[in-house]
């Protein structure tokens, strides 16, 4: 029981630290665990433990507050030069590069820029970690999320104590190789070994070897990493206890064969492991595994016995004291959470030690069960295939891929020729494994979208799972399932609560210089999306400029929003016309979200090659294609949708835009795509009443749209303008903004406000914006 009390104390310290760093978001968890501790204290009549628990929590909270106040920049926003030591190798992706530098004042800065000519790549490749460099450029504040459920990049950098992005180019920096620390020499050696692997093997195999041995995933394909993540097997790529155990066992065996005593072998391993942690990337899972191994080795060296859960608790507390913001790292949360769950359940798991398959099933199931709330909070879906895939891939990784990867990496230290046979085997197996993962990831049954639960729900799920599993271990199944039913209720509530809401929601999504609108009818009777945005490129790129992982609006922006809302499918995807900034994200979207019907404009003119390419991809993904023109309409519940344009004979692509007049719960919307003056004039001639409460301003607020006669006819209360920040076109046009102001129209813009959410309730419109810049 003492070990479990120490474990609870470590949890209280973590929660106290999180509370101090990020406010009172962890308070519910603290109170819940405190309740558990009170029960323990009452049972053993050790009320002093309660006082100690409160004291530890308050000390951790104060430490978090102090760390948060110290996590501030010392740089002046007007500084145009930075000097410091490179603490990461420059990373090159096409014509873009990035690196991290620690200034002479000890502050970390992220350096970013663009390679202007292919010849400049040579200069970048000669730049190594540990060099002292000076840069000339401009400081830039990292961007905040402009859409709901978007990855918070600014907070991510803040958790890594980085407050600025410094924009520069290769002509504006100078580096010199000066004597460096032992730490930097080890990291440079690591970089050299990684480069040897990349030179020796194919990109796919080299990326996997680098991930297994050195904890580097930078060369793995983005789509492949997404498959690992969505299928619940991403942990296989993390250097963890399995990797450390393999290395320690091999080195220990080598020492013994060389005649080294066990005591000296323990001591040498204690000296070796910190360097291995650096070589393996020093991720939380590595630090946890190395820390626990070192603690066990110390105990063995001095013939002391320590309960594994005490070892884990000590390592976790020491780690977050040294690096407090690691507590927000997903790797830290999953690594320590699953490990402590397995250790606390070791008595139950050991009962199946003589039945390897049953033991693997129990370990896999428990690891997936306890990590489920965290996975839901970060990724909004449950990987249904996670348990069977882990049962399949854990043995393959443990007994085939991992040993062969280590053999290849260690062989390079002797002679590349020694690595030929294991590398040959890997080149056969790795593509098969990855192709299987990619195929499975495309299946609709691979994961179930749940939506993002609140932090309170996550804590309640976690507590219920812990209590339920504890009762299950005590052979009290009825109580256990009572606790598990709380988890099932919270998941069911997350799934079905939107179907009980009487509100309609229209969201103008920030897709940069493009359009995308999400419409959710009351009780989720239907979900529509108008346009998907798209990444617009200017001019053709040379081969050396092409990037490995290009940005896809559909996958990186739209999909997280839909999954975060718990939306598993779109009833109608209305693509207004064939410009990339309106339908370019559709292909990426349907890779993750099911689309029932695509609505596209009918026209007599020939469809462009790009239009046919996108529509064919959508049809292949299972969507039906419906071509519409003026006069088409549909009704669902109390909401109606009428197509006003195109008429079919338009010549310009912008004027071929599908224009939709929607009445949603009594509120009138007019969505105009990129309709320009000619199209607006035709609408005025063809329809007498165009009055709308909300106008989606045509063509991003361009001067070629939103004419005075059109505004007079529509007379909107609210105008929505979707335009990119600092776009090259000068959208929205100042004359258009002045005209809207003259008509006393309230204007909401993505370039200023980010995503805009309009909630329609009882005939009223309630607006909420993501940013207030």
């Amino acid at each position: 029981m003492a070990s479990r009390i120490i474990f609870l104390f470590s949890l209280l310290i973590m929660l106290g630290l999180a509370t101090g760093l990020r406010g009172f978001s962890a308070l519910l968890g603290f109170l819940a665990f405190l309740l558990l501790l009170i029960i323990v204290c009452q049972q053993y009549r050790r009320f002093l433990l309660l006082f100690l628990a409160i004291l530890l929590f308050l000390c951790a909270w104060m430490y978090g507050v102090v760390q948060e106040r110290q996590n501030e920049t010392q740089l002046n926003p007007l500084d145009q030069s930075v000097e410091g030591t490179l603490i990461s190798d420059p990373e090159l992706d096409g014509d873009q590069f990035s690196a991290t530098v620690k200034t002479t004042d000890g502050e970390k800065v992220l350096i970013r820029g663009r390679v202007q000519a292919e010849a400049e790549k040579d200069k970048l490749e000669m730049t190594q970690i540990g060099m002292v460099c000076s840069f000339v450029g401009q400081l830039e504040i990292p961007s905040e999320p402009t859409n709901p459920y978007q990855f918070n990049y600014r907070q991510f950098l803040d958790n890594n104590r980085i407050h600025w992005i410094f924009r520069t180019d290769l002509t504006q920096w100078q580096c010199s190789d000066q004597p460096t620390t032992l730490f930097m020499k080890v990291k440079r050696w690591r970089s050299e070994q990684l480069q040897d692997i990349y030179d020796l093997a194919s990109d796919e195999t080299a990326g996997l070897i680098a991930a297994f041995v050195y904890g580097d995933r930078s060369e793995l394909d983005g789509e492949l990493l997404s498959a690992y993540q969505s299928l619940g097997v991403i942990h296989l790529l993390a250097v963890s206890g399995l990797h450390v155990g393999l290395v320690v066992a091999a080195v220990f065996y080598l020492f013994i064969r060389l005649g080294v005593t066990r005591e000296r072998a323990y001591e040498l391993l204690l000296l070796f492991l910190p360097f291995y942690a650096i070589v393996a990337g020093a991720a939380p899972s590595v630090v946890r595994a190395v820390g626990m191994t070192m603690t066990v080795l110390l105990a063995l060296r001095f013939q002391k016995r320590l309960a594994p859960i005490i070892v884990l608790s000590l390592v976790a507390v020491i780690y977050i004291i040294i690096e407090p913001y690691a507590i927000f790292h997903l790797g830290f949360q999953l690594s320590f959470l699953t490990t402590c769950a397995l250790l606390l359940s070791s008595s139950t798991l050991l009962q199946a030690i003589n039945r390897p398959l049953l033991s693997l099933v129990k370990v896999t199931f428990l690891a997936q069960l306890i990590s489920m709330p965290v996975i839901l909070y970060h990724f909004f879906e449950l990987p249904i295939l996670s348990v069977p895939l882990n049962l399949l891939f854990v043995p393959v990784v443990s007994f085939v891929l991992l040993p062969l990867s280590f053999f290849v990496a260690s062989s390079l230290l002797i002679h590349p020729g020694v690595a030929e046979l294991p590398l040959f085997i890997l080149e056969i197996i790795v593509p098969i494994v990855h192709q299987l993962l990619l195929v499975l990831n495309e299946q609709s049954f691979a994961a179930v979208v749940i939506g993002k639960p609140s932090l309170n729900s996550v804590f309640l799920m976690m507590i219920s799972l812990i209590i339920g599993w504890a009762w299950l271990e005590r052979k009290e199944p009825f109580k256990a399932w009572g606790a598990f039913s709380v988890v099932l209720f919270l998941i069911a509530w997350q799934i079905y609560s939107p179907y009980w809401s009487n509100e309609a929601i229209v969201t103008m999504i920030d897709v940069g210089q493009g359009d995308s609108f999400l419409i959710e009818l009351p009780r989720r009777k239907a979900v529509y999306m108008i346009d998907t945005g798209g990444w617009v490129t200017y001019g053709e790129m040379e081969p050396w400029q092409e990037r490995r992982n290009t940005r896809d609006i559909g996958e990186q922006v739209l999909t997280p929003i839909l999954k975060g809302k718990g939306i598993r499918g779109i009833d109608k995807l209305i693509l207004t016309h064939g410009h990339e900034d309106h339908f370019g994200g559709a292909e990426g979207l349907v890779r993750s979200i099911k689309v029932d019907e695509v609505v596209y404009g009918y026209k007599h003119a020939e469809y462009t090659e790009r239009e046919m390419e996108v529509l064919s991809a959508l049809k292949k993904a299972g969507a039906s294609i419906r071509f519409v023109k003026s006069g088409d309409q549909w009704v669902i519940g109390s909401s109606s949708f009428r197509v006003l344009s195109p008429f079919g004979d338009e010549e310009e692509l912008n004027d071929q835009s599908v224009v939709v007049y929607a009445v949603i719960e009594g509120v009138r919307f007019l969505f105009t795509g990129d309709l320009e003056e000619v199209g607006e004039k035709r609408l005025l001639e063809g329809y007498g009443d165009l009055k709308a409460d909300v106008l989606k301003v045509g063509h991003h607020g361009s001067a070629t749209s939103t004419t005075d006669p059109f505004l007079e006819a529509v007379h909107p209360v609210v105008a929505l303008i979707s335009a990119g920040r600092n776009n090259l076109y000068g959208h929205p046009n100042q004359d258009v903004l002045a005209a809207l102001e003259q008509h006393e129209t309230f204007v909401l813009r993505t370039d200023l406000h980010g995503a805009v959410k309009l909630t329609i309730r009882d005939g009223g419109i309630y607006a909420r914006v993501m940013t207030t810049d």
Side-chain angles (χ1 to χ4, degrees):
M1 183 57 69
S3 62
R4 299 203 175 199
I5 291 176
I6 292 174
F7 167 65
L8 285 172
F9 280 172
S10 68
L11 286 177
L12 289 172
I13 291 172
M14 292 183 202
L15 290 164
L17 178 64
T19 304
L21 291 172
R22 287 286 182 264
F24 290 90
S25 59
L27 187 56
L28 178 62
F30 159 65
L31 293 174
F33 281 112
L34 187 58
L35 178 62
L36 289 175
L37 195 58
I38 290 173
I39 294 172
V40 172
C41 294
Q42 286 179 337
Q43 183 177 354
Y44 290 89
R45 301 186 184 282
R46 299 174 184 173
F47 294 101
L48 182 62
L49 291 177
L50 180 58
F51 172 77
L52 181 59
I54 295 173
L55 181 63
L56 286 174
F57 180 86
L58 291 176
C59 288
W61 173 76
M62 291 177 63
Y63 182 69
V65 170
V66 171
Q67 289 294 317
E68 181 74 357
R69 289 179 178 175
Q70 291 178 349
N71 189 18
E72 295 179 351
T73 182
Q74 302 299 318
L75 294 173
N76 188 320
L78 300 178
D79 288 342
Q80 295 184 344
S81 63
V82 168
E83 183 175 347
T85 304
L86 284 174
I87 59 174
S88 74
D89 277 316
E91 185 176 327
L92 183 64
D93 186 9
D95 62 347
Q96 292 188 341
F97 65 86
S98 63
T100 306
V101 63
K102 179 173 282 189
T103 67
T104 52
D105 294 329
E107 182 172 344
K108 290 192 289 186
V109 177
L110 181 62
I111 307 295
R112 278 191 175 173
R114 179 166 291 178
V115 180
Q116 304 298 325
E118 186 175 8
E120 291 183 359
K121 283 190 172 184
D122 296 334
K123 179 180 179 180
L124 196 65
E125 291 171 356
M126 293 173 60
T127 306
Q128 293 181 301
I129 191 171
M131 284 186 169
V132 176
C133 301
S134 59
F135 310 88
V136 176
Q138 187 174 6
L139 287 171
E140 178 183 293
I141 299 175
S143 59
E144 288 187 310
T146 60
N147 285 303
Y149 311 107
Q150 183 180 339
F151 177 69
N152 194 331
Y153 189 57
R154 180 185 291 187
Q155 190 173 89
F156 169 78
L157 292 179
D158 186 71
N159 290 343
N160 286 277
R161 301 181 187 272
I162 298 175
H163 307 287
W164 295 100
I165 295 174
F166 192 80
R167 296 286 179 182
T168 184
D169 61 70
L170 290 177
T171 62
Q172 299 295 319
W173 68 349
Q174 298 294 328
C175 294
S176 61
D177 200 0
Q178 299 181 9
T180 186
T181 63
L182 178 61
F183 175 76
M184 284 297 177
K185 287 180 180 178
V186 173
K187 293 193 73 173
R188 182 176 292 187
W189 179 85
R190 173 180 182 266
S191 299
E192 292 169 353
Q193 299 308 305
L194 282 169
Q195 190 57 53
D196 288 343
I197 291 172
Y198 298 143
D199 293 340
L200 183 67
S202 66
D203 291 345
E204 190 172 10
T205 303
L208 195 68
I209 296 173
F212 281 153
V213 180
Y214 296 105
D216 182 84
R217 304 180 193 172
S218 61
E219 293 299 314
L220 284 172
D221 179 71
E223 187 178 353
L224 184 61
L225 279 174
S226 178
Y228 270 99
Q229 175 186 296
S230 298
L231 294 171
V233 291
I234 189 69
H235 64 93
L236 296 176
L237 297 178
V239 178
S240 58
L242 179 64
H243 305 66
V244 175
L246 183 65
V247 171
V248 168
V251 175
F252 184 77
Y253 177 77
L254 177 63
F255 284 152
I256 297 300
R257 296 293 296 174
L258 291 174
V260 179
T261 64
R262 286 180 174 270
E263 289 75 14
R264 296 291 86 77
Y266 294 148
E267 293 167 0
L268 290 172
L269 281 170
L270 286 168
L271 293 174
F272 162 75
L273 281 172
F275 293 100
Y276 175 70
I278 299 171
V279 169
S285 59
V286 181
V287 175
R288 186 264 304 165
V290 167
M292 290 189 67
T293 304
M294 291 179 67
T295 307
V296 171
L297 289 172
L298 277 170
L300 290 172
R301 173 63 182 83
F302 295 103
Q303 299 181 350
K304 301 292 183 182
R305 295 188 64 182
L306 282 175
I309 194 64
I310 294 179
V311 175
L312 178 67
S313 300
L314 291 174
V315 170
V317 170
I318 293 171
Y319 185 24
I320 62 173
I321 288 175
I322 296 172
E323 188 50 67
Y325 288 94
I327 200 167
F328 300 116
H329 193 292
L330 178 61
F332 174 90
Q333 296 168 6
L334 292 178
S335 178
F336 281 92
L337 186 63
T338 54
T339 304
C340 76
L342 295 173
L343 291 177
L344 290 171
S345 303
S346 57
S347 59
T348 302
L349 297 175
L350 285 173
Q351 294 175 8
I353 193 67
N354 296 321
R355 302 166 69 182
L357 181 59
L358 179 60
S359 179
L360 180 59
V361 170
K362 284 188 172 183
V363 168
T364 302
F365 177 74
L366 177 57
Q368 297 302 312
L369 185 69
I370 200 66
S371 62
M372 179 186 66
V374 178
I375 296 293
L376 269 182
Y377 185 75
H378 288 281
F379 302 119
F380 326 136
E381 61 184 348
L382 286 179
I384 299 301
L385 298 179
S386 179
V387 172
L389 282 178
N390 274 279
L391 293 176
L392 173 64
F393 283 106
V394 166
V396 172
V397 170
S398 303
F399 301 112
V400 181
L401 298 180
L402 189 59
L404 287 174
S405 297
F406 271 104
F407 193 88
V408 170
S410 57
S411 297
L412 292 177
L413 301 176
I414 304 170
H415 190 278
V418 183
E420 287 185 2
L421 180 58
L423 184 60
F424 175 75
I425 298 173
L426 283 173
E427 294 282 16
I428 295 174
I429 299 175
V430 170
I432 296 173
V433 170
H434 284 174
Q435 187 59 38
L436 176 61
L437 288 174
L438 290 172
V439 170
L440 288 174
N441 193 45
E442 292 177 354
Q443 308 308 311
S444 58
F445 56 79
V448 175
V449 175
I450 304 296
K452 183 174 183 176
S454 68
L455 203 55
N456 291 345
S457 293
V458 170
F459 278 121
L460 286 174
M461 286 185 201
M462 195 73 68
I463 294 161
S464 300
L465 287 172
I466 293 171
I467 294 174
W469 190 262
W471 273 331
L472 204 60
E473 284 188 317
R474 294 175 186 174
K475 310 299 183 184
E476 298 183 73
F478 290 108
K479 290 183 178 180
W481 284 109
F484 292 147
S485 65
V486 174
V487 180
L488 295 175
F489 170 78
L490 291 170
I491 292 176
W493 176 265
Q494 185 68 39
I495 293 174
Y496 293 108
S497 57
Y499 295 90
W500 303 326
S501 173
N502 288 318
E503 298 177 341
I505 298 173
V506 177
T507 305
M508 178 170 62
I509 301 171
D510 182 10
V511 289
Q513 185 62 21
D515 273 8
S516 185
F517 292 82
L518 178 65
I519 302 172
E520 303 167 71
L521 297 183
R523 299 182 183 273
R524 284 275 168 89
K525 289 180 180 177
V527 175
Y528 301 151
M529 179 170 281
I530 301 178
D531 286 334
T532 62
W535 191 246
V536 181
T537 56
Y538 303 97
E540 294 186 5
M541 300 181 72
E542 297 182 25
W544 67 269
Q545 294 177 302
E546 294 179 0
R547 299 163 199 162
R548 292 188 304 274
N549 299 311
T550 55
R551 188 184 182 208
D552 188 291
I553 296 292
E555 284 185 315
Q556 297 182 2
V557 177
L558 303 183
T559 298
I561 293 173
L562 294 169
K563 288 185 176 181
K565 285 176 167 285
I567 296 173
R568 289 166 286 282
I570 295 174
D571 297 286
K572 291 183 189 294
L573 174 59
I574 303 168
L575 299 177
T576 58
H577 64 292
H579 277 149
E580 199 69 26
D581 59 332
H582 287 257
F583 78 162
E587 293 170 284
L589 177 68
V590 295
R591 282 196 282 268
S592 302
I593 301 294
K594 184 179 183 299
V595 174
D596 289 336
E597 183 181 62
V598 174
V599 175
Y600 202 74
Y602 168 80
K603 58 181 179 179
H604 295 304
E606 187 175 342
Y607 289 90
T608 66
E609 183 179 346
R610 179 58 179 152
E611 285 177 303
M612 295 302 297
E613 180 184 344
V614 171
L615 292 175
S616 298
L618 296 176
K619 187 174 183 179
K620 186 177 180 181
S624 62
I625 311 295
R626 176 185 176 185
F627 294 95
V628 297
K629 61 181 180 178
S630 179
D632 290 337
Q633 58 185 333
W634 66 91
V635 177
I636 181 164
S638 58
S639 300
S640 63
F641 298 81
R642 184 162 49 127
V643 177
L644 306 186
S645 185
F647 294 88
D649 56 356
E650 291 85 357
E651 295 182 1
E652 296 296 328
L653 196 54
N654 281 345
D655 285 327
Q656 293 169 5
S657 294
V658 175
V659 176
V660 176
Y661 188 90
V663 180
I664 303 174
E665 297 301 297
V667 177
R668 299 164 298 179
F669 286 81
L670 183 58
F671 298 96
T672 60
D674 271 357
L675 198 69
E676 296 187 306
E677 184 175 355
V678 173
E680 291 178 354
K681 184 177 180 180
R682 195 165 185 182
L683 285 184
L684 293 175
E685 294 171 352
Y687 296 94
D689 185 12
L690 284 178
K691 288 201 180 321
D693 302 296
V694 181
L695 169 67
K696 184 276 171 189
V697 175
H699 201 191
H700 320 289
S702 164
T704 59
S705 300
T706 323
T707 57
D708 283 333
F710 187 72
L711 270 181
E712 285 287 349
V714 177
H715 200 68
V717 177
V718 178
L720 303 177
I721 301 177
S722 183
R725 288 165 183 77
N726 304 314
N727 63 84
L728 299 176
Y729 308 101
H731 295 161
N733 181 269
Q734 292 301 315
D735 291 338
V736 171
L737 294 176
L740 289 168
E741 183 179 359
Q742 186 177 357
H743 283 80
E744 299 181 346
T745 304
F746 185 65
V747 178
L748 293 166
R749 301 162 45 180
T750 56
D751 60 329
L752 296 182
H753 306 119
V756 175
K757 175 183 175 182
L758 300 182
T759 301
I760 302 146
R761 183 172 60 247
D762 300 326
I765 305 172
Y766 305 88
R768 184 175 181 180
V769 300
M770 277 292 297
T771 64
T772 55
D773 294 342

